[in-house]
Amino acid sequence: MDTRLHFPYQFDGRGTTRTDGADAWIRGLIEQVLFTAPGERVMRPDFGCGLRELVFAPNSPELAATTQFLVHGALQQWLGDLITVESVTVDAVDARLAVTVQYVVRRDESRQSATFQRGGEA
């Protein structure tokens, strides 16, 4: 089984470095891209897509379309060598923003889907 370091860095119950399987590792990378604001990382100021800032934007079809475009582009830019993004769905309800990403892992051509939420009650 292919294992990678867990993000954020943690120790497991045995006191050793926590690791994840490849699928959980890729999901963690997607989460990093989604919730990192451009300018947040000093050595990579253009990394991320700034999804957190959109939680407080007025809910509208335009916001959903903008978010879909923003997320799709950022994932292709930063993780294009690991995944192929098939679709991005954005649901904004009150102060909660849920983004569902359907993608194919290039390594083994497996289809995956992950939903990420921020704001409001999950």
Side-chain angles (χ1 to χ4, degrees), residues 7 25-27 33 43 50 75 84 86 100 102 116 118:
F7 180 85
W25 179 70
I26 289 175
R27 187 187 191 290
V33 171
M43 300 303 284
L75 291 174
T84 301
E86 291 187 324
T100 301
Q102 292 183 331
F116 305 89
R118 288 295 190 268

Side-chain angles (χ1 to χ4, degrees), residues 2-7 10-12 14 16-21 24-25:
D2 189 20
T3 59
R4 313 285 173 108
L5 289 178
H6 176 79
F7 180 85
Q10 295 178 349
F11 294 104
D12 63 15
R14 298 171 293 164
T16 59
T17 300
R18 181 175 171 188
T19 58
D20 285 329
W25 179 70

Side-chain angles (χ1 to χ4, degrees), residues 58-110:
N59 191 2
S60 68
E62 292 80 14
L63 174 66
T66 299
T67 304
Q68 288 173 332
F69 179 76
L70 185 69
V71 168
H72 193 277
L75 291 174
Q76 282 303 114
Q77 177 182 0
W78 295 108
L79 301 179
D81 58 331
L82 297 173
I83 64 172
T84 301
V85 178
E86 291 187 324
S87 69
V88 175
T89 305
V90 178
D91 294 314
V93 178
D94 298 325
R96 185 183 61 81
L97 187 67
V99 177
T100 301
V101 180
Q102 292 183 331
Y103 58 97
V104 175
V105 178
R106 291 184 185 264
R107 177 180 42 86
D108 60 4
E109 296 299 317
S110 64

